[in-house]
Amino acid sequence: MARNLVAYHSRTGITRQVALALVPRLAADLLEIRDVRPRDGMLGYLRSALEAMQASLPEIAPVTQELAGYDLIVLGTPVWVGHVSSPMRRFLRDHGQRLRRVAFFCTMGERGAESTFQQMRDLLGRDAEATLALTDRTVCQERHLRSLDEFAARLLRSCPAATATAAEIEPASHVPL
């Protein structure tokens, strides 16, 4: 059976909501990429935007999972001012070479997915198996579930070792788009 991981960073909880919904669809483990310093309130928002624009590498909590043991790692990040979040940037810089197969998802206000995915590709030095961009509004209104089902199915089909896993997972119910 394939071993899958969903690794994400979330400042407001929207990216976390998507990550949590992906875990059962992929029969995956979960890894939260956590900041050492909090990002609460307006100052946290401003710090996040500044770090994203400056391509900063903030300190993140240690990663305890053995990343090389996963067949697929799905990486989730919010889009900050058209950039990958700085904690995800740090994770990719520190751990990217140990990741075998990857897929990306992002959550955003309205735009910035392509530049964010390109930054993630550049940090890894390779492309993703698949990408999924969701607006915050779509996630908050729970109109993203069909897209998650399709994203997960595409990932499971692309990995021969995941065939048994895909057959064991029942499609999640979803709200029509």
Side-chain angles (χ1 to χ4, degrees), residues 110-143:
E110 293 295 326
R111 60 184 172 274
E114 283 311 311
S115 59
T116 297
F117 292 151
Q118 186 59 52
Q119 290 167 27
M120 294 171 80
R121 286 182 200 102
D122 291 346
L123 286 160
L124 285 172
R126 65 181 187 281
D127 207 354
E129 300 268 331
T131 60
L132 176 65
L134 299 166
T135 64
D136 296 347
R137 179 178 307 152
T138 300
V139 175
C140 290
Q141 294 173 352
E142 294 192 356
R143 292 185 299 128

Side-chain angles (χ1 to χ4, degrees), residues 151-166:
F151 181 63
R154 187 172 1 145
L155 291 171
L156 292 172
R157 279 192 309 268
S158 72
C159 179
T163 307
T165 304

Side-chain angles (χ1 to χ4, degrees), residues 13-72:
I14 294 172
T15 307
R16 176 183 300 111
Q17 184 177 341
V18 175
L20 291 172
L22 270 174
V23 165
R25 287 169 169 82
L26 296 172
D29 294 335
L30 185 67
L31 169 64
E32 179 180 7
I33 301 165
R34 291 182 295 115
D35 271 304
V36 171
R37 286 181 48 207
R39 291 183 185 272
D40 301 330
M42 183 54 75
L43 288 178
Y45 175 81
L46 293 173
R47 184 177 129 229
S48 298
L50 184 62
E51 284 182 5
M53 291 186 294
Q54 294 178 339
S56 296
L57 296 167
E59 186 177 355
I60 59 174
V63 173
T64 58
Q65 279 99 327
E66 181 48 54
L67 300 172
Y70 287 99
D71 297 308
L72 170 68

Side-chain angles (χ1 to χ4, degrees), residues 69-133:
Y70 287 99
D71 297 308
L72 170 68
I73 299 181
V74 181
L75 302 161
T77 184
V79 174
W80 290 351
V81 200
H83 296 79
V84 64
S85 67
S86 53
M88 179 58 75
R89 180 182 295 108
R90 177 57 176 248
F91 175 83
L92 292 173
R93 205 244 13 219
D94 291 355
H95 304 287
Q97 294 177 343
R98 297 196 326 250
L99 312 182
R100 291 169 49 183
R101 291 178 53 236
V102 296
F104 306 149
F105 76 88
C106 71
T107 59
M108 61 192 167
E110 293 295 326
R111 60 184 172 274
E114 283 311 311
S115 59
T116 297
F117 292 151
Q118 186 59 52
Q119 290 167 27
M120 294 171 80
R121 286 182 200 102
D122 291 346
L123 286 160
L124 285 172
R126 65 181 187 281
D127 207 354
E129 300 268 331
T131 60
L132 176 65

